C-alpha cells in the first residue's frame, strides 16, 4: 500500500525566512522570506512506481513465506519433542517399576549369600555396582526428561500444565529402602 502511494500526485509546501545583518559598510539589508510550492505528478509509472510496487509485493510474500516456514519448523520440533518425552516416560516407568526393584533384590540376595558364606564377594560387589549404575541411568533419564519438558514449555508457552504431570513437584528418589509406591517421579 505504501508503494502504491507513489502513483498519486505529491504536493509540497516550503517556507523559509532568512535574517540578514547589516553589510560591512553599515547599510541595512532587508530580511528574506520565500515560499515554494512543489507538485510531483507521476506521468510515466511503468519505470519506477510499477517496479517499486512489485518489489514491495515480493517482500511481503517473502515475509509471509518465512513465517510459514518458521511455523512448520516449530511444529516439527514439537512433534519430535513429544515423541522424545513419550519414549523417556516409557523408559522411566520401566526403570522405576521393574529394573530398579529387581536390581535391588539381586544386590540384596548377593549380599545375603555372601554373608551366609554361600556366595562370592566379587559377585556381591558387582551386583551393588550394577544397581548403582541403574540408578545413575534412571537419574539421567529423569534429567533428560526435564530438559525435554523445558523444550515443550518453550514450544507451548500458553498451556504448560497439560504436559507436566501432577506429581512433577513431588519427585521421589529411587533409592533402596526409600522408595514410595504409587508416585510418579
Amino acid at each position: 500500500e505504501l508503494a502504491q502511494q507513489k502513483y498519486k500526485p505529491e504536493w509540497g509546501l516550503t517556507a523559509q525566512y532568512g535574517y540578514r545583518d547589516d553589510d560591512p559598510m553599515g547599510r541595512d539589508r532587508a530580511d528574506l522570506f520565500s515560499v515554494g510550492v512543489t507538485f510531483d505528478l507521476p506521468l510515466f509509472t511503468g519505470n519506477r512506481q510499477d517496479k517499486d510496487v512489485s518489489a514491495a509485493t515480493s517482500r511481503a510474500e517473502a515475509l509471509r513465506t518465512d513465517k510459514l516456514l518458521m511455523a512448520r519448523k516449530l511444529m516439527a520440533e514439537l512433534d519430535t519433542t513429544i515423541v522424545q518425552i513419550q519414549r523417556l516416560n516409557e523408559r522411566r516407568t520401566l526403570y522405576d517399576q521393574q529394573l530398579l526393584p529387581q536390581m535391588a533384590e539381586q544386590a540384596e540376595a548377593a549380599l545375603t549369600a555372601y554373608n551366609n558364606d554361600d556366595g562370592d564377594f566379587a559377585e556381591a560387589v558387582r551386583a551393588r555396582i550394577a544397581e548403582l549404575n541403574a540408578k545413575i541411568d534412571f537419574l539421567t533419564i529423569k534429567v533428560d526428561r526435564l530438559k525435554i519438558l523445558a523444550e515443550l514449555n518453550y514450544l507451548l508457552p500458553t498451556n504448560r500444565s497439560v504436559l507436566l504431570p501432577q506429581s512433577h513437584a513431588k519427585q521421589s528418589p529411587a533409592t533402596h529402602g526409600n522408595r514410595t509406591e504409587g508416585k510418579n517421579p
Side-chain angles (χ1 to χ4, degrees):
E1 289 177 6
L2 288 175
Q4 288 177 346
Q5 293 296 318
K6 292 181 181 179
Y7 285 111
K8 297 180 180 177
E10 185 177 323
W11 290 87
L13 178 65
T14 60
Q16 294 180 345
Y17 175 77
Y19 172 76
R20 294 190 348 171
D21 207 5
D22 295 340
D23 69 0
M25 302 298 248
R27 290 178 287 193
D28 190 24
R29 292 193 291 186
D31 295 340
L32 299 174
F33 181 75
S34 62
V35 176
V37 176
T38 60
F39 178 71
D40 186 17
L41 183 62
L43 294 176
F44 304 104
T45 60
N47 291 337
R48 194 169 131 205
Q49 284 87 353
D50 290 344
K51 290 178 185 175
D52 288 346
V53 170
S54 65
T57 304
S58 297
R59 282 192 299 273
E61 285 299 319
L63 284 174
R64 193 173 299 123
T65 302
D66 287 346
K67 286 180 184 179
L68 183 62
L69 288 175
M70 183 58 75
R72 284 184 181 173
K73 178 184 172 193
L74 288 173
M75 288 303 293
E77 286 181 30
L78 177 64
D79 291 342
T80 302
T81 305
I82 288 173
V83 169
Q84 287 175 340
I85 196 75
Q86 289 170 346
R87 297 299 168 253
L88 285 172
N89 283 340
E90 291 170 3
R91 288 182 65 202
R92 183 185 61 152
T93 302
L94 176 69
Y95 268 81
D96 190 40
Q97 294 178 357
Q98 291 180 5
L99 290 178
L100 289 177
Q102 289 174 2
M103 295 285 223
E105 290 173 6
Q106 185 178 4
E108 194 62 38
L111 185 63
T112 302
Y114 172 72
N115 286 337
N116 292 334
D117 290 332
D118 202 20
D120 187 24
F121 177 73
E123 185 62 35
V125 170
R126 276 193 292 272
R128 216 30 108 181
I129 289 173
E131 179 188 16
L132 290 175
N133 285 337
K135 286 180 181 180
I136 289 171
D137 290 342
F138 183 62
L139 287 175
T140 302
I141 290 169
K142 289 169 66 175
V143 167
D144 289 344
R145 183 177 175 274
L146 290 174
K147 287 179 184 177
I148 297 295
L149 283 175
E151 282 184 45
L152 281 174
N153 287 340
Y154 169 74
L155 294 171
L156 296 173
T158 55
N159 201 2
R160 284 180 261 194
S161 61
V162 173
L163 299 171
L164 294 175
Q166 295 298 327
S167 62
H168 180 67
K170 303 183 238 176
Q171 290 191 359
S172 62
T175 56
H176 178 65
N178 197 12
R179 293 177 49 89
T180 54
E181 297 298 338
K183 287 194 178 178
N184 208 3

